[in-house]
Amino acid sequence: MHYTFRYSTFVKVITFIGLWALALILYLLVTVDGLSSFAFVLWAGALGLIYPPLSMPRSIEDDGETVVLRRLLWTKRYSRTTYDISEVSGMELTKSYAIVGSPGYFCYRGLFYRSKMGFFNLVATEETGHYLRIQRKGSKRPLYIAYRPTQS
């Protein structure tokens, strides 16, 4: 299975604007002298603007032995010997409470809570109703990755 995550035009435009804002902040950081509170705010803004685009998921691949989640700059591998991996469908996890993370800007990403399920991690760029459930053996908190199954 191979799935490429899709992003709306709005998200692409907002990302482009955010990267321009990041460029402006980095320019101001280069021109600011010393360690002022203004420089600290600029650094916090730069980090806040750079992490979401870099951590946007690009694709997910499942070769039967390992699930690979590719992001813009890094890749995470989930081996079936270490993780319990299953397919789940018929749920709307994006209607859960976001505890820590992004509830819908770049994607639904972070720690979420839903009654009857408890806490879970979620990566979804769109509501598909189909998820890969990945949970480290012996762990309590699963990771759900939304994908659109291929039509055959």
Side-chain angles (χ1 to χ4, degrees):
M1 177 209 44
H2 176 80
Y3 175 71
T4 302
F5 292 97
R6 294 185 272 192
Y7 294 94
S8 68
T9 304
F10 176 73
V11 169
K12 292 175 184 175
V13 168
I14 293 297
T15 303
F16 181 75
I17 292 169
L19 291 176
W20 272 104
L22 175 64
L24 176 64
I25 288 173
L26 292 176
Y27 171 76
L28 290 173
L29 277 171
V30 170
T31 60
V32 169
D33 292 330
L35 293 173
S36 66
S37 61
F38 180 66
F40 177 75
V41 170
L42 288 176
W43 276 113
L47 294 175
L49 285 171
I50 200 165
Y51 181 76
L54 295 180
S55 65
M56 290 171 74
R58 287 185 342 185
S59 67
I60 187 167
E61 299 171 9
D62 184 2
D63 62 7
E65 194 172 304
T66 304
V67 173
V68 179
L69 176 63
R70 297 188 190 285
R71 297 182 185 267
L72 189 61
L73 289 184
W74 66 86
T75 299
K76 175 73 176 175
R77 298 180 186 281
Y78 301 97
S79 171
R80 292 190 191 278
T81 58
T82 309
Y83 295 89
D84 290 322
I85 301 172
S86 60
E87 294 184 19
V88 180
S89 62
M91 298 189 306
E92 287 189 53
L93 295 181
T94 56
K95 299 210 183 327
S96 304
Y97 295 107
I99 305 303
V100 176
S102 172
Y105 171 47
F106 282 105
C107 62
Y108 296 90
R109 179 188 63 231
L111 179 63
F112 287 74
Y113 177 80
R114 188 171 194 166
S115 61
K116 298 182 184 177
M117 286 182 62
F119 292 98
F120 60 92
N121 293 307
L122 176 65
V123 174
T125 59
E126 60 184 336
E127 180 57 65
T128 62
H130 298 279
Y131 299 91
L132 279 180
R133 183 180 187 275
I134 302 173
Q135 186 170 7
R136 184 181 291 272
K137 293 179 180 176
S139 174
K140 293 181 182 178
R141 192 175 310 144
L143 167 65
Y144 289 91
I145 303 174
Y147 72 99
R148 191 169 300 280
T150 56
Q151 304 292 329
S152 47

